[in-house]
Amino acid sequence: MAVTRKKTGKVTAADIRHGMSKRWAAPEYAVMWEVGEATGLMRGRSADAVIMSLWPSRGLELHGVEIKVSRSDWKREAADPAKAEAIAKFCDRWWVHTAPGVVDDLSDLPPAWGLREFDGSKWKTLREAELTEAAPVTRGFLAALLRRADGAMRDMIRDATAEGRAEVEREREALRERHHEAVAEAVERKLGHLSGVQKSVAEFEAAFGTRIDSFLDFSKIGRAARALADVGSGWGDFRDLSNRLRRVADEIDAITALSAVPTASDNEQERTA
């Protein structure tokens, strides 16, 4: 039976493997890639993937998968389905996973095989795989499964290690950014303080009448300021100094006033003149 379907875009084998990893994921399933019928010189034929169902409630089934992304590749597979039997005989079900439209005629599928399509985001089952009577797993096939399971575990460890290193580097970068922000804030505070000092210096120069950097001997200005500060440690001391200076000024004014009053001798001299 011919089935006409519109292709939805280029889907690669890597896309299908990625979609399988997400759809048949732990803890419900274990996926092993490129599984041979044995190891070493007896490797023989291989399947693109073998999926083991791990939950007894759903059946501890072993599913073999061939991935096809081109019609020509599928036609070669359909022309010689017997070559898949080397692995399929150990599996409870056998599937073909393809890009949309690769299998254009379902009659090309062997009777027990199932067909799924992946469009890059979702799966569509076009025909269910039939449950078959699987042959007992040989030591050679078990060794091939364990080799791939060990490889998958090593890949997981490598990926986890790489992610851990990436996380450490991200944390280091965050620490560097926080350090730079703290330094920038400290510099900004220092610049604000210097701005205040510059303002105070400008006010002093305006009152003093000249720029302080025109003096070669700042020690004189310092001693004068210290002498003023030594008068007292509080505003009360300065007020006492002000009162004393004011009394001295009053005494001077009084003396000046007395010296200005004319005496008898002064009057006599004026008449004589």
Side-chain angles (χ1 to χ4, degrees), residues 229-272:
D230 287 342
V231 172
S233 60
W235 287 108
D237 297 315
F238 284 113
R239 284 195 295 270
D240 181 64
L241 175 62
S242 176
N243 292 332
R244 283 187 286 155
L245 291 175
R246 189 173 291 108
R247 287 196 298 270
V248 171
D250 290 342
E251 292 294 336
I252 292 172
D253 288 342
I255 293 171
T256 303
L258 287 175
S259 63
V261 175
T263 64
S265 173
D266 291 334
N267 292 333
E268 182 62 27
Q269 290 177 359
E270 289 179 0
R271 285 196 297 271
T272 305

Side-chain angles (χ1 to χ4, degrees), residues 12-90:
T12 67
D15 294 330
I16 293 177
R17 285 193 292 269
H18 180 68
M20 289 174 61
S21 297
K22 295 178 65 177
R23 170 61 181 81
W24 290 277
E28 186 178 355
Y29 298 96
V31 181
M32 290 149 282
W33 308 101
E34 300 294 334
V35 179
E37 59 180 296
T39 57
L41 296 176
M42 303 299 294
R43 174 180 171 82
R45 300 283 187 177
S46 63
D48 289 330
V50 172
I51 303 173
M52 182 70 192
S53 175
L54 303 177
W55 287 357
S57 61
R58 300 188 181 181
L60 299 176
E61 295 184 356
L62 200 62
H63 295 218
V65 178
E66 280 295 310
I67 298 172
K68 303 298 176 185
V69 293
S70 71
R71 188 165 294 173
S72 60
D73 191 18
W74 161 243
K75 291 297 185 181
R76 287 192 296 271
E77 183 76 20
D80 187 15
K83 68 179 184 179
E85 187 61 22
I87 307 297
K89 65 184 179 183
F90 298 118

Side-chain angles (χ1 to χ4, degrees), residues 195-205:
S195 178
V197 170
Q198 289 175 337
K199 181 179 179 181
S200 298
V201 170
E203 292 174 351
F204 175 85
E205 289 177 338

Side-chain angles (χ1 to χ4, degrees), residues 198-230:
Q198 289 175 337
K199 181 179 179 181
S200 298
V201 170
E203 292 174 351
F204 175 85
E205 289 177 338
F208 196 65
T210 186
R211 291 176 57 86
I212 63 173
D213 57 8
S214 63
F215 290 93
L216 297 178
D217 189 359
F218 284 97
S219 62
K220 292 181 179 180
I221 298 176
R223 288 194 296 271
R226 179 59 183 268
L228 180 61
D230 287 342

Side-chain angles (χ1 to χ4, degrees), residues 94-97 109-116 126-130:
W94 191 260
W95 294 89
V96 178
H97 287 180
L109 283 168
W113 289 17
L115 175 64
R116 294 190 183 104
L126 300 178
R127 194 170 87 178
E128 287 286 347
E130 294 182 9

